[in-house]
Amino acid sequence: MTNRVRILQEKFRQSLGLPFENLLPSWEIQKVIDELKVKYRRRLFDPIVTLWTFLSQVLDVDKSCHNAVSRVIAYLANQRVEIPSSDTSAYCQARSRLPENLLEKLFGSTAQSLEEKVTTQYLWCARHVKVIDGASVSMPDTIENQKSYPQPSSQKLGCGFPIAKIGVRFSLATGAAIALVIDVLNTHALKLARKLYQFLKPNDILLGDRAFCAYADLVTLMNLKCDAVFRKHQSRQMSMRRGKLFGDCDKLVIWHKPKKCPNGLSEEEFLALPETLIVREISYYIFIPGFRTSSVSLITTLLDTETYPTLELVKLYDCRWDVEVNLKHLKTTLGMEVLRGKTPAMVGKELYVYLLAYNLLRTLMWESGTTYGVPPVRLSLQGTRHHLHNFIPQLLAASSAQLHQIYRTLLKVVVHKSVSDRPGRSEPRVRKRRPKAYPLMKQPRHQYAEQWQTA
């Protein structure tokens, strides 16, 4: 058993671990296991092998457990050891035994390690910018999932899927995911954001859309020694007549404390808010055909006009769209939009493994971009995944002397797949391919089966 585990750990280190050996080595995983005092038996799917298998599973297009176990069998096929059973029970049980806090801690440590690689040239005005947004993910229709993450109330019982709302904070410099929170579908974006504030560091800048622009949240961020750049909420009227003007579209204004306690704040928190708050408001127009938005008003706590010029702040808010692209990578490119976990516990673990795999790909993109002088955020994440998947057989077959050369070649081909910067690009949200004319499910499947049997 020990020999098989050693062989598998070495195989995974060569196939998945090599590009990330400085970010997620086996000793680092073992260190976190020891810190959390995770107890496990000496079996084939120990925590390290299980984690590597789980990572390779979410990175693959075929995300079935059968495919993951088949990969493990293939890694042991040419070794003089006993081949494990093709039954997925042992692997599925090993995944369920992985503690969620282990995956959360590893995800956090990889995000922090990648942030430490960022140099001043990749920062905005010498400061780290974090982008925040929310999304939803669906999961199998099981009783446990429905209790924790109920389906939308507009759907009939048995005709929908449980849906969870997630809030994710990304690094603007690296594109990596920094923090995650999970809640039910009808959770407001502000509630998710307030759970993510604990992961901010002093001097960070938080970038977000109008959903996060609230009086109390601006005060909270300033108390954390952070700053914010949000689009002004539509409930506040836009006017350039009042305030200290710095130009035609830039001014300082005084916001007053709300008269009533907003939802989500306790009375103590509301009473602790200052009576007034000085913010900076920037208004500008967009003249691009096809765009819904013609005028934008930004609210920021960055009051120094010399350090943070108006044009730079406008350009910074244009980068907010990167968070939409990052969420699309997670949900569409990697396939996180439809989870496979049949219990809420497995749903949480699966989300953290997806984010961990996403950060590992971002690390490979960072290494490739910084090595060959290309902005890492402009590289294709899908192309990076394709190249990594195709290079794995070569990494496994290579000798120790060849590994470094193959890895350098991998970095070189990753940098060739870049995505051009296309500001103002507009695509209509329409579909050309027609769906098949099957009716929507309007009652549970077992009722359809009963009707067919009695017909």
Side-chain angles (χ1 to χ4, degrees), residues 61-328:
V61 176
D62 183 355
K63 303 183 186 304
S64 66
C65 292
H66 286 283
N67 185 45
V69 173
S70 176
R71 184 181 298 107
V72 170
I73 295 174
Y75 285 173
L76 295 173
N78 63 345
Q79 307 293 325
R80 296 181 179 179
V81 294
E82 179 185 356
I83 301 300
S85 170
S86 60
D87 187 82
T88 61
S89 176
Y91 170 60
C92 292
Q93 292 180 38
R95 288 200 318 170
S96 65
R97 288 192 299 266
L98 279 178
E100 184 174 329
N101 56 352
L102 168 65
L103 302 175
E104 181 180 4
K105 194 174 182 64
L106 289 173
F107 158 65
S109 64
T110 53
Q112 178 60 31
S113 299
L114 185 53
E115 280 293 284
E116 292 173 354
K117 297 176 181 289
V118 179
T119 56
T120 308
Q121 70 181 101
Y122 295 100
L123 300 179
W124 182 83
C125 294
R127 296 182 65 176
H128 288 270
V129 178
K130 307 298 169 54
V131 197
I132 188 172
D133 206 353
S136 60
V137 292
S138 69
M139 60 200 73
D141 188 12
T142 63
I143 296 177
E144 295 88 345
N145 287 343
Q146 285 283 10
K147 287 181 178 179
S148 298
Y149 306 107
Q151 68 184 38
S153 57
S154 59
Q155 294 178 331
K156 292 184 178 180
L157 185 64
C159 299
F161 292 92
I163 300 179
K165 187 77 169 288
I166 62 172
V168 191
R169 187 162 56 84
F170 295 90
S171 167
L172 186 64
T174 65
I178 306 296
L180 166 76
V181 291
I182 314 169
D183 215 319
V184 295
L185 178 62
N186 59 356
T187 304
H188 195 277
L190 267 179
K191 183 179 179 181
L192 296 175
R194 288 164 182 166
K195 292 181 179 180
L196 289 169
Y197 292 161
Q198 59 180 312
F199 302 103
L200 289 171
K201 294 184 177 180
N203 210 40
D204 279 350
I205 297 176
L206 188 62
L207 180 63
D209 62 15
R210 64 178 69 184
F212 308 100
C213 187
Y215 186 95
D217 293 79
L218 293 175
V219 173
T220 301
L221 291 171
M222 295 176 69
N223 291 338
L224 293 172
K225 302 185 185 303
C226 298
D227 286 292
V229 178
F230 297 144
R231 185 178 175 187
K232 188 167 72 171
H233 197 271
Q234 63 270 19
S235 61
R236 290 184 177 269
Q237 295 182 358
M238 183 173 62
S239 174
M240 295 303 296
R241 297 180 180 179
R242 296 181 180 181
K244 181 181 178 180
L245 293 177
F246 295 121
D248 294 336
C249 60
D250 196 343
K251 65 177 180 178
L252 290 182
V253 295
I254 299 177
W255 277 15
H256 295 274
K257 178 180 176 179
K259 296 180 180 180
K260 295 182 179 180
C261 180
N263 294 332
L265 289 183
S266 64
E267 286 294 335
E268 293 77 9
E269 292 172 331
F270 178 68
L271 293 174
L273 295 177
E275 293 298 325
T276 59
L277 177 66
I278 299 177
V279 297
R280 185 176 170 191
E281 182 175 351
I282 301 173
S283 300
Y284 59 97
Y285 292 91
I286 299 176
F287 300 100
I288 300 177
F291 271 61
R292 295 180 299 175
T293 302
S294 58
S295 62
V296 176
S297 183
L298 302 183
I299 299 297
T300 180
T301 56
L302 300 169
L303 308 183
D304 190 344
T305 57
E306 294 185 0
T307 307
Y308 311 106
T310 304
L311 185 57
E312 291 300 319
L313 283 166
V314 171
K315 291 180 179 179
L316 176 62
Y317 187 75
D318 286 345
C319 297
R320 193 210 66 83
W321 187 254
D322 289 354
V323 71
E324 306 285 352
V325 178
N326 294 339
L327 287 172
K328 180 182 177 181

Side-chain angles (χ1 to χ4, degrees), residues 330-399:
L330 279 168
K331 295 177 65 176
T332 305
T333 305
L334 296 185
M336 195 182 75
E337 186 170 16
V338 180
L339 302 175
R340 305 174 70 91
K342 296 183 179 181
T343 63
M346 277 306 303
V347 166
K349 296 174 188 179
E350 193 173 356
L351 284 171
Y352 280 116
V353 173
Y354 265 108
L355 291 174
L356 180 57
Y358 170 82
N359 280 354
L360 294 180
L361 287 176
R362 283 291 181 184
T363 304
L364 185 57
M365 295 161 67
W366 181 265
E367 291 288 336
S368 177
T370 55
T371 301
Y372 292 98
V374 176
V377 292
R378 296 261 62 88
L379 298 180
S380 169
L381 188 133
Q382 179 73 295
T384 302
R385 187 178 72 159
H386 288 163
H387 289 312
L388 175 62
H389 182 76
N390 293 329
F391 267 70
I392 283 178
Q394 302 301 323
L395 293 170
L396 291 175
S399 62

Side-chain angles (χ1 to χ4, degrees), residues 411-431:
L411 296 181
K412 189 174 183 179
V413 297
V414 165
V415 82
H416 290 165
K417 188 67 174 179
S418 61
V419 179
S420 58
D421 188 14
R422 294 171 287 184
R425 180 171 178 255
S426 175
E427 291 290 342
R429 291 187 174 184
V430 294
R431 295 181 299 170

Side-chain angles (χ1 to χ4, degrees), residues 13-30:
R13 188 196 69 80
Q14 287 183 328
S15 61
L16 288 177
L18 178 66
F20 323 120
E21 59 184 353
N22 295 326
L23 193 67
L24 192 65
S26 298
W27 64 265
E28 179 68 24
I29 302 174
Q30 188 62 53

